[in-house]
Amino acid sequence: MKRRGTPEADLQRAVVTALRFALPKGAIIHHCANEVTEAGPRGAKRQAILIGMGVHPGFADLIILCDGRVLFLELKSVKGRLSPAQEAFRDTVLAQGFGWALVRSLDDALGALADHGFTTRVASPNGRAAP
């Protein structure tokens, strides 16, 4: 059986590994599994249970908490597009004053840290020392 490509999952693993290295030790990097990929009535029932437990449609793939800052990262493949629920989540988060970034590469993730004022242990993608 041929394995299906998982570009977003592969990107997410690479980003999490890099963020664990780049951010200070006390930083929290968290992924919320916010959807069930199982098709049919069983998957729909499980998704309904999760929503009842507080899962929020469109929630970002990663949330970073560090030094009093909050940043949500939505990871997408090069051709991936935001769903309407993801766009609504982005707009709500930004309206509340939190950071949000669309990430399509490791450089995007490190750039988002710099753009949102996170202190890191690595240089930013543009070659400048990170704040």
Side-chain angles (χ1 to χ4, degrees):
M1 182 170 143
K2 185 176 177 186
R3 183 174 165 227
R4 228 172 90 194
T6 57
E8 287 182 16
D10 295 341
L11 172 61
Q12 185 162 330
R13 281 187 285 275
V15 166
V16 168
T17 298
L19 294 179
R20 286 180 178 154
F21 174 78
L23 290 167
K25 293 276 185 214
I28 295 172
I29 304 158
H30 181 71
H31 167 71
C32 289
N34 57 348
E35 64 185 40
V36 175
T37 56
E38 184 178 349
R42 184 176 170 165
K45 181 178 179 182
R46 180 73 181 135
Q47 185 69 27
I49 290 169
L50 292 175
I51 289 171
M53 295 175 69
V55 166
H56 187 88
F59 198 90
D61 293 310
L62 295 172
I63 182 172
I64 301 168
L65 307 169
C66 184
D67 296 332
R69 297 182 185 278
V70 177
L71 177 61
F72 294 91
L73 299 180
E74 181 61 46
L75 284 77
K76 290 288 178 191
S77 66
V78 174
K79 294 181 182 180
R81 295 176 22 164
L82 296 175
S83 70
Q86 290 168 330
E87 290 174 346
F89 178 82
R90 174 202 59 205
D91 296 346
T92 300
V93 163
L94 293 173
Q96 293 183 31
F98 296 108
W100 184 96
L102 177 61
V103 172
R104 295 183 188 278
S105 69
L106 191 51
D107 283 347
D108 285 352
L110 295 174
L113 294 179
D115 291 347
H116 291 87
F118 281 76
T119 301
T120 65
R121 298 182 282 174
V122 298
S124 66
N126 59 16
R128 296 185 314 232

